[in-house]
Amino acid sequence: MTVKELEKLAADKADLIKVRKIVREQAEELAKNTGYRKQVLVCGGTGCTSSHSQQVIEQLEASFKELGINDVLIVKTGCFGLCALGPIMIVYPEGAFYSQMTPEHAKTVAEKHLVKGGEVVKELLYGETVHDDGSIIPFAEIPFYKHQMRIALRNCGVIAAESIEEAIGAGDYAALAKVLTSMTPDGVINEIKAAGLRGRGGAGFPTGLKWQFTKDAVGDKKYVCCNADEGDPGAFMDRSILEGDPHTVLEAMTIAGYAIGAQEGYIYVRAEYPIAVERLKIAIAKAREKGLLGKNILGSNFSFDINLRLGAGAFVCGEETALIASIEGKRGEPKPKPPFPAQSGIFKKPTVINNVETWASVAPIILNGAEWFSSIGTEKSKGTKVFALGGKINNVGLVEVPMGTTLKTIVYDIGGGLPDGKQFKAAQTGGPSGGCIPATHLNVPMDFDNLTAIGSMMGSGGLIVMDENTCMVDIAKFYLEFTADESCGKCTACRIGTKRLLDILTKITEGKGEPEDLDKITELAEHMKSSSLCALGQSAPNPILSTMKHFSNEYIKHVYSKQCPAGVCKSLLSYQVNPDKCKGCTLCRRNCPVGAISGEVKSAHEIDTKKCIKCGQCIAHCKFGAIEIK
Amino acid sequence: MANNLFDGTREQMNKLLDCIEQHKSDPGALMPVMHEAQNIYGYLPSEVQTVIADKLNVPLAEVYGVATFYSQFSLQPKGKHQISVCLGTACYVKGSDKILEVLEKELKIKCGECTPDGKFSIDSCRCVGACGLAPVMIIDGEVYGKLTSGEVNGILEKYMKD
């Protein structure tokens, strides 16, 4: 297609998308132009699909047929972000937010709300969106969304994820058109530099500089690469962008191709993300069909195409040199740098590699200008950051906030605090390479430099909240198990270092720790940091060092008193029935998954400590508080 | 290398050869071919690795090296029902290790193994991205979320029957 045709398609679809973005009264007016009385958006991201959102869609289709509804559009979108409430369904123009939908609920909503003259089914709405007087609040105004600023996630949960027409209607490819018609390659790079965009994958390297280095490098061929090997367990923003707005990534890669002089790109995506892979395949095929990828893009003389490569379950492939090896079909082992990928990357050609979230920030910078982007955030960290909120928090999901937002705002205002009134103990950021942030730092503005200063790191943006029932030594051990397992084995410091650190931590959690173990950890950690080949080994000790720094008392208790204050480390505790409190109701016995509890009706029960796996099911079911952890 | 009796069909082999033919000239074709081979056979027995090495003209050692490096490639056949427990951070802090432990006790195999009758295999995975449903277990692609260790046996029973 030509630029003119692109602009026409965008204009044709614009109203349809706009209905989902503006306030109710205006949306109702606008809806009249679209040919659809209402639009029903159902989340088709991984979280909601896992809780059967596809069946909700099928039920809606069946009900529409039955009821003769033909002027309501069903849109299968990417992730809305509030995964804890899935499957999510939003009806426009009113912006009614239905949560935890089932096919039965969908039937009810179709019959009562979506038919002509229907009314919102208030009892199925997400509780926080209904006022006491019965009026409803559009979902964009609830606390979870109110404090957010969505740049990278701007189209996730807004457009039909598999439709290039809707993506174009929402503004995708407009930046590419601008670049190809009115900007020079240097102009593009300068804009990205001036915006102050830093890589969202973890290290925070200035994106514009990376592009500049790759452009300046000598090579007969150059590559653009998207790192979608989101390995940090608990981070899922990249997946969400690929599932919700894949075209923004294709567009940004094409822009980079124009800027650095590359004609080919690779997307390296985790095979564990089947929906994202599928959506990418569809997006690439449709973009080629429309002439937005391939030869002479938008009628210009610039050509660019993108290949998809699947990972195969190796965390280290998120490291750029390992990722390159994997794309080349080899074992994903990292290489020493320099040379950097900008000089010698894929097939030894100059390559620019950016993370998905970074790519998703490019088009808005081109369209709105560097000044707009750099006005958001803090002095050295510009723009917004997406965090994946998980663990012991009410609103599990994806949030995008300006850099510099405090952890407190994220956890309490957006995340809705911790469940069951538990106390906040720490948040882990940066995954296995990062560290924990204790409650004393709740007010620290979250940006690249502040997080590093307090011994954690931004990482890819996984943010796991932990409460008083989380043992920090156990968490450190969990991360070490991960890195020891994922260490590729190439360099000694990482291969043996992670194993030895894990051995020491295992010893401590089993109550066999000795005082000198704590010094050994510190010494070993320093060696690993200074002599490991890649970031995996260099950062592997971070979870231990930061928990030792902020929660030294827990380590001391484990080592000196052989106690686990949080009641997690199994070797240090045992489950017992208090015979005075036990009424012999048999509930614990019947709910024990391993058959460790015995006892007759109405007489005190007993736990066989050899069989017991300390899973806590008995405690959860006992109504008399008779089961005690010692 | 794998020590299982290999019983691939002619149809499977034709599929594999087609796939190799299709990717042969792509740079870095080895991984995509191995992904496809694992889809066809369910695992990568030595016989299949040998064919890939021959046809792509790479040393068998390299194919084996790649097969053992990545956790998704398996040298052993998987169970009829494949169980995967997420041990990502969000699931772990919500007790997915206990889910795994109940599974191991009930099926009397360890994580990474297959029951002797070939019915079940258990694996762990690192974050499927359904953190809102933590802790999560997946059986044959079906996701079971917000699990408690008490619910595991009931779910297994459904699969025991067939």
Side-chain angles (χ1 to χ4, degrees):
Chain A
M1 57 169 38
T2 61
V3 175
K4 278 238 157 63
E5 286 162 342
L6 177 80
E7 282 166 356
K8 179 166 186 314
L9 181 56
D12 286 348
K13 290 280 170 187
D15 284 353
L16 191 73
I17 311 290
K18 213 171 162 194
V19 168
R20 306 167 195 166
K21 288 187 166 173
I22 52 178
V23 294
R24 179 177 180 166
E25 293 73 25
Q26 292 168 342
E28 274 168 0
E29 257 324 286
L30 201 60
K32 290 174 190 154
N33 307 340
T34 63
Y36 294 102
R37 189 166 45 85
K38 287 187 193 300
Q39 302 187 28
V40 185
L41 274 64
V42 183
C43 176
T46 291
C48 286
T49 302
S50 301
S51 43
H52 310 298
S53 62
Q54 187 56 37
Q55 278 147 274
V56 170
I57 294 177
E58 282 160 20
Q59 178 61 50
L60 283 176
E61 286 166 347
S63 292
F64 283 12
K65 218 174 203 177
E66 205 176 293
L67 300 164
I69 300 175
N70 54 17
D71 52 358
V72 176
L73 180 68
I74 301 174
V75 184
K76 185 164 132 187
T77 68
C79 183
F80 288 97
L82 195 38
C83 306
L85 297 177
I88 288 175
M89 178 170 126
I90 298 178
V91 181
Y92 290 102
E94 49 272 62
F97 186 157
Y98 292 103
S99 62
Q100 294 179 311
M101 291 297 286
T102 63
E104 293 78 62
H105 291 164
K107 193 162 179 270
T108 312
V109 173
E111 287 166 355
K112 293 188 174 165
H113 178 186
L114 301 175
V115 289
K116 273 209 178 89
E119 293 276 338
V120 174
V121 187
K122 284 187 185 142
E123 54 276 20
L124 293 178
L125 291 178
Y126 171 44
E128 287 190 27
T129 62
V130 187
H131 276 305
D132 291 341
D133 65 1
S135 58
I136 68 162
I137 312 166
F139 88 102
E141 289 165 31
I142 64 172
F144 180 79
Y145 291 105
K146 203 168 61 185
H147 299 277
Q148 295 194 44
M149 179 172 194
R150 298 188 143 214
I151 294 177
L153 299 177
R154 66 197 178 280
N155 290 332
C156 292
V158 176
I159 58 169
E162 291 174 11
S163 160
I164 191 169
E165 288 82 11
E166 288 217 348
I168 291 171
D172 280 354
Y173 295 107
L176 178 62
K178 182 178 174 185
V179 164
L180 291 181
T181 52
S182 65
M183 290 174 84
T184 62
D186 282 322
V188 174
I189 292 176
N190 287 337
E191 197 72 17
I192 300 295
K193 273 193 199 161
L197 177 64
R198 292 171 67 175
R200 268 38 175 170
F205 191 82
T207 306
L209 267 186
K210 216 182 224 185
W211 292 19
Q212 182 77 61
F213 291 151
T214 318
K215 179 175 187 280
D216 295 344
V218 183
D220 55 343
K221 207 170 176 187
K222 290 179 186 177
Y223 291 101
V224 175
C225 180
C226 169
N227 183 347
D229 191 52
E230 188 175 43
D232 168 4
F236 50 97
M237 61 285 291
D238 292 350
R239 190 209 69 210
S240 227
I241 292 167
L242 297 174
E243 287 178 1
D245 188 15
H247 288 286
T248 192
V249 176
L250 306 186
E251 180 189 14
M253 288 175 69
T254 312
I255 291 172
Y258 174 77
I260 66 158
Q263 300 197 329
E264 214 177 330
Y266 281 91
I267 299 179
Y268 185 88
V269 58
R270 290 180 85 197
E272 288 94 329
Y273 286 171
I275 298 178
V277 172
E278 197 47 43
R279 300 247 165 98
L280 274 173
K281 281 184 185 161
I282 294 171
I284 292 173
K286 290 201 173 162
R288 280 179 189 152
E289 219 172 82
K290 292 247 184 265
L292 295 163
L293 278 179
K295 287 208 180 342
N296 302 102
I297 293 172
L298 288 172
S300 69
N301 49 21
F302 174 65
S303 302
F304 188 80
D305 210 343
I306 292 176
N307 305 297
L308 200 57
R309 280 282 188 274
L310 263 59
F315 175 67
V316 71
C317 289
E319 199 282 334
E320 53 189 9
T321 58
L323 183 144
I324 288 166
S326 192
I327 286 179
E328 293 170 349
K330 299 179 199 148
R331 290 163 69 92
E333 287 173 351
K335 284 189 209 124
K337 291 187 273 193
F340 289 92
Q343 279 92 43
S344 171
I346 298 173
F347 304 117
K348 300 208 167 19
K349 305 292 179 194
T351 302
V352 64
I353 301 187
N354 284 127
N355 150 279
V356 176
E357 196 188 329
T358 317
W359 288 122
S361 307
V362 168
I365 293 174
I366 299 290
L367 286 177
N368 302 324
E371 209 172 302
W372 161 78
F373 191 80
S374 63
S375 70
I376 304 161
T378 59
E379 194 194 338
K380 287 182 178 163
S381 304
K382 300 298 184 191
T384 53
K385 178 76 194 91
V386 184
F387 290 98
L389 267 181
K392 308 277 183 73
I393 184 138
N394 281 318
N395 297 336
V396 174
L398 280 187
V399 305
E400 183 170 357
V401 288
M403 291 274 189
T405 302
T406 65
L407 181 58
K408 198 171 175 187
T409 303
I410 296 174
V411 171
Y412 289 97
D413 298 339
I414 300 175
L418 283 70
D420 309 323
K422 292 270 168 64
Q423 283 296 313
F424 174 92
K425 183 173 190 176
Q428 166 84 20
T429 60
S433 310
C436 66
I437 307 171
T440 44
H441 289 306
L442 267 170
N443 284 318
V444 169
M446 306 260 283
D447 69 8
F448 286 108
D449 307 293
N450 280 333
L451 284 181
T452 309
I454 57 173
S456 184
M457 67 185 275
M458 180 73 85
S460 55
L463 201 159
I464 309 284
V465 178
M466 300 166 190
D467 67 12
E468 55 206 273
N469 293 349
T470 312
C471 167
M472 300 317 282
V473 186
D474 181 64
I475 281 297
K477 185 179 134 221
F478 166 78
Y479 280 115
L480 253 294
E481 272 169 10
F482 182 88
T483 36
D485 193 38
E486 294 292 348
S487 169
C488 79
K490 185 171 178 173
C491 73
T492 320
C494 173
R495 182 182 65 240
I496 299 177
T498 50
K499 185 77 183 62
R500 286 297 297 134
L501 278 180
L502 177 60
D503 287 346
I504 299 174
L505 281 179
T506 306
K507 228 175 106 185
I508 294 176
T509 56
E510 286 175 350
K512 297 172 191 155
E514 295 157 71
E516 58 266 32
D517 285 337
L518 299 178
D519 299 328
K520 277 189 202 158
I521 290 177
T522 324
E523 195 190 338
L524 186 52
E526 287 311 319
H527 288 311
M528 285 177 68
K529 276 175 165 254
S530 58
S531 48
S532 292
L533 179 60
C534 82
L536 192 152
Q538 289 158 12
S539 62
N542 286 355
I544 314 186
L545 293 178
S546 84
T547 47
M548 277 176 78
K549 180 173 164 199
H550 297 300
F551 296 95
S552 58
N553 59 330
E554 289 198 28
Y555 281 86
I556 289 168
K557 277 247 164 73
H558 279 78
V559 172
Y560 289 92
S561 327
K562 314 292 177 208
Q563 281 175 347
C564 175
V568 171
C569 296
K570 287 178 191 169
S571 308
L572 302 179
L573 42 103
S574 74
Y575 279 49
Q576 287 168 13
V577 180
N578 180 341
D580 296 335
K581 286 188 183 167
C582 179
K583 306 272 188 241
C585 73
T586 75
L587 257 183
C588 61
R589 192 185 75 202
R590 282 183 282 141
N591 282 293
C592 175
V594 292
I597 306 182
S598 58
E600 297 297 320
V601 183
K602 289 188 182 165
S603 62
H605 282 43
E606 244 183 287
I607 297 177
D608 180 346
T609 46
K610 284 203 188 89
K611 279 192 190 163
C612 175
I613 59 166
K614 298 158 189 169
C615 70
Q617 278 297 300
C618 48
I619 297 183
H621 284 92
C622 181
K623 293 182 179 133
F624 310 103
I627 292 154
E628 292 166 357
I629 301 177
K630 295 212 166 149
Chain B
M1 249 192 219
N3 198 19
N4 298 281
L5 283 178
F6 175 63
D7 58 354
T9 61
R10 177 142 291 277
E11 202 192 341
Q12 286 174 317
M13 185 51 73
N14 286 338
K15 255 185 164 174
L16 176 64
L17 294 175
D18 280 352
C19 153
I20 294 175
E21 198 50 46
Q22 200 193 323
H23 288 283
K24 216 172 175 176
S25 51
D26 300 349
L30 183 55
M31 291 252 305
V33 167
M34 287 173 70
H35 267 298
E36 196 49 43
Q38 175 142 310
N39 280 342
I40 297 169
Y41 290 95
Y43 69 118
L44 295 172
S46 58
E47 290 83 351
V48 170
Q49 294 179 47
T50 314
V51 172
I52 295 174
D54 280 352
K55 299 287 173 190
L56 285 181
N57 205 17
V58 278
L60 180 58
E62 203 176 309
V63 177
Y64 181 68
V66 170
T68 49
F69 184 85
Y70 296 96
S71 65
Q72 286 211 332
F73 294 134
S74 172
L75 304 185
Q76 304 291 336
K78 296 279 172 194
K80 187 177 161 209
H81 299 297
Q82 298 181 20
I83 308 173
S84 183
V85 180
C86 180
L87 289 185
T89 323
C91 283
Y92 184 80
V93 299
K94 291 209 168 171
S96 64
D97 54 327
K98 279 144 193 152
I99 308 283
L100 181 59
E101 212 167 322
V102 174
L103 280 169
E104 289 179 337
K105 281 218 170 174
E106 186 61 25
L107 297 172
K108 300 187 180 64
I109 51 172
K110 289 273 158 214
C111 183
E113 292 176 354
C114 183
T115 52
D117 62 2
K119 216 161 183 184
F120 291 99
S121 55
I122 314 177
D123 284 292
S124 64
C125 61
R126 304 288 190 192
C127 198
V128 290
C131 305
L133 299 174
V136 165
M137 153 173 103
I138 301 150
I139 305 185
D140 303 339
E142 173 79 17
V143 178
Y144 296 90
K146 298 183 181 165
L147 275 178
T148 63
S149 47
E151 290 164 355
V152 173
N153 291 346
I155 294 169
L156 274 184
E157 257 168 43
K158 280 203 291 190
Y159 293 87
M160 299 246 180
K161 285 176 193 140
D162 52 59

